[in-house]
Amino acid sequence: MSTTTTVDRAFRAALYDDADAALDTGASLLAADPAADGELARRGEEFLGAAWRRNWQPADVVRVVRRELDDPHVRLVSELILREAGRRPSPGPRWTAQLRELDGEPPRLPDRFAHATAVLELYRLLLRLPALEPLDVPGRSGAPQQPESRMLGRIRALLAKAEATGYPEEAEALSAKAQELMARHSIDEALLAARTHNANSPGACRIGVDPPYETAKAVLLDAVAAANRCRAVWHEAFGFSTVIGFEPDLEAVELLHTSLLVQATAAMTRAEAAQRKGGRKRTKTFRQSFLAAYAHRIGDRLRAAAEGQVDSTEGELLPVLAARDVAVADHREQMFPDSVTTRMRGVTDAAGWEEGAAAADRARVTEGPRAGERPRLT
């Protein structure tokens, strides 16, 4: 039997049938034919290629695999993505950054049957991924990648130093400088585009919204996006929000959201510990209400900071920003004509709301995460 025939038979048995017996049959065929491993991997790259054509990106695929399956599947898909990426140029800087986040270490599974089972479960999921909205900006397809600006490099360096220092006063000074540079960078880019008649269009990126407390996290991201002249649309089923805006503003949203989520997590943990000392048990409603209040208050602070930067510029900026706001709104409507607004539920804990609002007042609104640190709520 040829390796192609083995893989075809395994796929016919397992990929289009959700039953465990069908999965066992397919895995048994693959486990019994080690020569089919190369063809099996090649087919996996084809499934990835189909996902890319349906507008998925590496981080999106890994995220949905993590939500739907287990750690071995995450390792399998990461290894597969990195292998496939080595065969062609990267489509863009965000794609490249997502590849750098992947761990290419293969999973440790007990035997060939377990490995084949995991591969077939992964391919089942890849096969059924629906089409997503394209993120490419019209007219830019195939444009050469631009290196990160020196200004953005300075901002990242300032945020890293702010996180690393053990002196609060130094962290505050570094964060304040980073905030100033961020706002100035966005304004300068907008004015330059207007003065040179550079017809830039809004773009979009996807930012993960991971469990638990996804709704509150999505509200926080929406607040950060709105304050930076962007719009966010939450895809609850896939665990991400699509953020629409001009490139400098998208960069600011990515940096700020990650930083604020780290700060919110730390503040919530401290507040909950204080509540427990007072005899209160840890509750989900406290955390949900805390994060909702934090998002609401942070949004107010960010908007005030952004308006202050606009007020300090010449009148030339106002029509430029107004035109950009219209362009972002139009692009959002084109991408998501059927999106709806929903109300947040579960915000019923007064203590959680008060603590969250107070934590937002204390937050440094532009502080970035330490190198390699990921925000996590437990």
Side-chain angles (χ1 to χ4, degrees):
M1 183 186 302
S2 71
T3 58
T4 301
T5 302
T6 298
V7 173
D8 285 338
R9 289 181 62 198
F11 281 8
R12 283 196 299 269
L15 293 193
Y16 307 97
D17 189 333
D18 289 330
D20 289 342
L23 188 67
D24 290 345
T25 299
S28 296
L29 289 167
L30 294 172
D33 188 2
D37 291 354
E39 176 66 13
L40 184 64
R42 189 188 69 78
R43 298 289 187 92
E45 293 186 25
E46 289 182 355
F47 285 132
L48 280 181
W52 307 153
R53 290 190 293 274
R54 295 196 292 272
N55 302 311
W56 288 73
Q57 295 190 350
D60 305 325
V61 171
V62 171
R63 190 179 300 112
V64 77
V65 171
R66 182 176 290 114
R67 286 168 68 95
E68 300 294 331
L69 299 172
D70 299 311
D71 183 67
H73 304 88
V74 173
R75 291 184 176 277
L76 280 172
V77 78
S78 299
E79 182 184 26
L80 187 63
I81 289 171
L82 290 172
R83 186 166 60 242
E84 191 268 349
R87 305 187 191 282
R88 61 188 180 85
S90 172
R94 279 198 174 85
W95 193 287
T96 301
Q98 292 173 25
L99 295 178
R100 287 198 296 266
E101 293 293 318
L102 299 182
D103 182 357
E105 182 180 350
R108 297 176 181 176
L109 294 163
D111 50 47
R112 287 187 54 81
F113 179 81
H115 183 273
T117 300
V119 169
L120 290 174
E121 288 171 331
L122 172 63
Y123 289 4
R124 272 181 177 179
L125 180 58
L126 296 179
L127 180 66
R128 299 172 189 182
L129 292 178
L132 298 177
E133 294 76 14
L135 298 182
D136 292 338
V137 177
R140 291 190 189 172
S141 180
Q145 296 182 24
Q146 299 297 321
E148 182 175 282
S149 68
R150 292 180 62 186
M151 179 69 81
L152 192 59
R154 289 178 63 194
I155 290 168
R156 290 186 187 278
L158 284 168
L159 295 176
K161 289 179 181 178
E163 283 285 347
T165 182
Y167 300 98
E169 295 83 2
E170 183 182 8
E172 291 287 353
L174 290 165
S175 296
K177 183 61 177 176
Q179 177 183 356
E180 176 187 331
L181 292 180
M182 253 183 214
R184 190 73 254 168
H185 178 55
S186 178
I187 290 171
D188 288 346
E189 289 287 327
L191 287 174
L192 179 62
R195 290 168 180 168
T196 60
H197 304 288
N198 185 358
N200 285 340
S201 300
C205 66
R206 299 189 187 110
I207 297 178
V209 182
D210 298 319
Y213 317 112
E214 300 98 315
T215 303
K217 292 178 182 178
V219 170
L220 175 61
L221 177 53
D222 184 75
V224 175
N228 285 277
R229 318 190 84 86
C230 297
R231 299 292 182 271
V233 177
W234 183 31
H235 307 254
E236 183 175 7
F238 299 128
F240 62 74
S241 284
T242 300
V243 182
I244 303 100
F246 285 86
E247 186 58 32
D249 303 321
L250 293 176
E251 291 167 347
V253 171
E254 290 180 289
L255 288 170
L256 284 171
H257 175 253
T258 300
S259 171
L260 292 171
L261 193 54
V262 170
Q263 293 186 59
T265 303
M268 184 178 64
T269 301
R270 290 193 298 268
E272 196 171 43
Q275 290 280 317
R276 285 200 298 272
K277 285 184 179 178
R280 173 178 175 148
K281 294 183 178 179
R282 167 178 169 176
T283 65
K284 180 178 180 179
T285 55
F286 177 88
R287 291 187 162 206
Q288 185 88 340
S289 299
F290 182 102
L291 290 172
Y294 187 95
H296 177 76
R297 189 65 61 87
I298 278 291
D300 290 342
R301 289 190 62 195
L302 289 173
R303 280 190 295 273
E307 289 168 1
Q309 287 295 320
V310 173
D311 291 342
S312 67
T313 63
E314 299 175 358
E316 170 188 14
L317 181 63
L318 296 180
V320 171
L321 293 183
R324 287 198 160 207
D325 287 344
V326 170
V328 169
D330 288 346
H331 195 59
R332 177 194 179 281
E333 182 62 26
Q334 291 170 10
M335 289 185 71
F336 304 103
D338 300 322
S339 61
V340 296
T341 301
T342 60
R343 301 183 68 177
M344 184 173 177
R345 295 177 175 83
V347 184
T348 58
D349 191 297
W353 181 273
E354 292 171 2
E355 292 284 357
D361 286 337
R362 295 190 297 268
R364 294 187 289 272
V365 297
T366 56
E367 189 176 15
R370 294 184 180 91
E373 181 178 11
R374 294 177 179 271
R376 184 179 298 275
L377 296 178
T378 58

